[in-house]
Amino acid sequence: MDPKKSGRRGFLKESAALVGAVGAAMGVAPSIAGETPAMDDMSSKEPKELIAYGERSHFVTSTRIPVAERMSPDDFGMTFHVLTPLQDSVGIITPSSLHYIATHRGSYVPDIDPQEHKLMIHGMVDRPLIFTMDDLKRLPSVSRTHFIECIGNRARPSHKTVQQTHGMTSCSEWTGVLLSLLLKEAGVQQGASWVVAEGAETVKGATTVPLAKAMDDCMVCYGQNGEPVRPQQGYPLRLLVPGFEGIHNIKYLRRIKVVDQYYMTYNDYGHIAADPKVAALGTQLGPKSIITFPSGGQKLLGPGFYEITGLAWSGGGAIRSVEVSTDGGQTWKAAEFRSPSYPMAHARFGFNWKWDGKECLLMSRCTDELGTVQPTRADVAKYWNKPIDNNSQITGADNTVFPWRITSDGSVLNGLA
Amino acid sequence: MGLRRIFMLVTMLATVIVTILGLSQSAKAQSPTYGVGRTPTADEIHAWDISISPTGKELPQGHGTAKQGAQVFVMRGCGACHGVSGSGGPAPTLIKSDGKTKSQFPCLTPCVNDSNVMALHSPYAVTMWDYIRRAMPLNSEGTLKPDEVYALTAFLLYKNGVIKEDEVMDAASLPKVKMPNQDGAGMPPEWKHGTPRLQGYP
């Protein structure tokens, strides 16, 4: 037996005895049922290590999973798409360790020394500039809460859990420097209209972003949730293009070139569509919401009170309102915000609900600050003049209303199935 | 002091004020506020700038044909990941298969299978050149010489039926290749802050 651990256990026992004695003195009878079990923690780490860097309770087992279609890591050790466990989420911040991952067509997570990393801004600027990480940290910083969502975040009838249907969205507090500040330092020239952003990883993933967006609210981020950006999220530096589809948020950002035309990089070309309308739907993401409790795979314990809760977000700005339907969309009632609603960020909503024990269909829909309402699959089908089909892929990014089916035994199933 | 002299003085003063204001304004617009960061050397910019625009204006000198590209494809071991015939491997399909060999992988975003072969899907041939140069071979990117990149691009274009086997690809010819999907890239409307992504969409 580990002498250090047995020593600590002994101390805990004595403490428990002391608490019991105090309780008895105050006239409270200690009982087995009322005691807080003072078990030794099950961590494999030494207390000294845990004091230096904490870890979650071993009772908390929530993890990411790779998308069913492609394993991560694959045979080459490459990472593809990995899903956030939204079913276990509380509040609006996704723990950095559980943030969804999508890489530029599969790539290795690079091991970048921040002392070596640099960001170059060049192209149609008066003064090309190179910034070290130290340089960037000297500049005025901003911290903003923003979601990132992959355009591949599409619910399918075969999905069982909200992790599968919606797990490619996550939300963090991002800290860094506004890209507009850096571009102003460099002096953008007349005639410029786009920027090409590029990462330092193996495939040098690049994307083209409208200059108007770059000058509006894009961020060059070195911080995520109070610590440096995690390697899987682009350490030491990533671009954030708030509200645009995920692939624009270049990780391992090393270069920004100011240009006067769309550059059609490999990542851009993968998302092109002949119809400009489809192209528009794949750029700024529309309002979207999802109920995370109760959600697929969870179980209601019986009739009675439950808080229906979930997340709502939009690429068009802050979420203005969320509604919940407990009858398959026939009637809608206002949900309440259980968190602040920031622009281009997850907002947590709640809806007080008394389940009568009967089968029903739960869904949520949101409206953003532009007044855009999250559409149903029927709305989208009507727009494109197509039949409603739960199996077909939504044209453009999929932000449609999603139903959870509650069966009479309290099981929660995918309502598209 | 005569009126005329006063008028001249006022005019001079006004000119000086306007000049100072003008200078300070142009200084505000053109000089950096923080002065943090350094100027890259021309060599640094040249070494880092691997972006090739659809016009191909940044393409370097060099040339290659499909026949040479077939050799490079073998020499550089491209088939190990992409399949010996350019399809059926774990890496993106490069040459449209006969339709019988199905990719073992589904169509992730963006696709890696027959439906999205780069030579058939990309609206510009230069995008292929750009990506081969920036990303391949995986983990040894940047080691292909311009001639090899031109040759590989020519090989993939030829094998997908886009160009003839003897066509030479270089900085002049590559941007002019008529791509099967050259009209397939609809541009999104101009982005404006505080505007819905697509007017009229539900």
Side-chain angles (χ1 to χ4, degrees), chain B residues 138-162:
Chain B
L138 194 64
N139 262 353
S140 313
E141 77 277 7
T143 60
L144 291 173
K145 293 178 183 71
D147 282 353
E148 292 178 297
V149 183
Y150 281 115
L152 282 171
T153 309
F155 173 61
L156 298 182
L157 288 169
Y158 163 66
K159 290 299 268 186
N160 285 290
V162 182

Side-chain angles (χ1 to χ4, degrees), chain B residues 63-143:
Chain B
H63 54 85
T65 61
K67 267 187 183 162
Q68 292 161 339
Q71 289 172 348
V72 179
F73 192 85
V74 173
M75 297 286 285
R76 289 290 188 157
C78 309
C81 299
H82 293 282
V84 182
S85 59
S87 69
T93 299
L94 299 178
I95 298 167
K96 196 170 166 61
S97 69
D98 52 13
K100 290 170 203 153
T101 341
K102 258 205 127 180
S103 171
Q104 52 184 312
F105 295 105
C107 188
L108 279 180
T109 319
C111 293
V112 298
N113 57 26
D114 258 9
S115 70
N116 206 0
V117 171
M118 206 173 184
L120 302 175
H121 188 67
S122 178
Y124 308 107
V126 292
T127 303
M128 299 170 64
W129 201 99
D130 175 289
Y131 193 72
I132 294 169
R133 195 261 294 263
R134 76 170 55 232
M136 293 294 130
L138 194 64
N139 262 353
S140 313
E141 77 277 7
T143 60

Side-chain angles (χ1 to χ4, degrees), chain A residues 367-391:
Chain A
T367 304
D368 67 16
E369 64 177 288
L370 302 178
T372 311
V373 183
Q374 183 183 4
T376 60
R377 291 184 78 91
D379 293 334
V380 173
K382 193 178 163 197
Y383 180 82
W384 295 109
N385 201 16
K386 284 178 185 169
I388 304 168
D389 175 9
N390 286 350
N391 286 295

Side-chain angles (χ1 to χ4, degrees), chain A residues 69-70 76 105 127-128 130-131 185 198 202 204 216 254-255 257 263-264 266 269 273-274 276 279 284 399, chain B residues 30 33-36 38 40 48-49 51 53 58 90 106 118 127 131 134 139 141 184 186 191 193 195 197:
Chain A
E69 293 87 348
R70 183 131 199 191
F76 294 87
R105 208 74 51 92
R127 292 170 300 279
I130 282 186
F131 297 96
E185 282 296 282
E198 178 183 277
T202 44
K204 304 279 181 290
D216 188 52
R254 71 161 198 167
R255 190 167 69 92
K257 184 177 185 181
Y263 258 47
M264 191 59 72
Y266 187 47
Y269 118 88
Q284 178 178 299
N399 65 323
Chain B
Q30 284 176 12
T33 308
Y34 304 99
V36 174
R38 68 169 172 86
W48 284 33
D49 186 7
S51 297
S53 74
E58 299 96 338
M118 206 173 184
T127 303
Y131 193 72
R134 76 170 55 232
N139 262 353
E141 77 277 7
W191 183 86
H193 175 99
T195 319
R197 54 188 182 151

Side-chain angles (χ1 to χ4, degrees), chain A residues 151 153-154 275-288 314 366-368 370-386 392-401, chain B residues 189 195-202:
Chain A
I151 200 166
N153 206 23
R154 301 170 181 279
D275 187 344
K277 283 192 277 188
V278 182
L281 292 172
T283 308
Q284 178 178 299
L285 299 170
K288 189 168 178 178
S314 172
C366 63
T367 304
D368 67 16
L370 302 178
T372 311
V373 183
Q374 183 183 4
T376 60
R377 291 184 78 91
D379 293 334
V380 173
K382 193 178 163 197
Y383 180 82
W384 295 109
N385 201 16
K386 284 178 185 169
S392 71
Q393 180 167 308
I394 295 289
T395 305
D398 184 350
N399 65 323
T400 55
V401 168
Chain B
T195 319
R197 54 188 182 151
L198 177 59
Q199 291 288 352
Y201 186 79

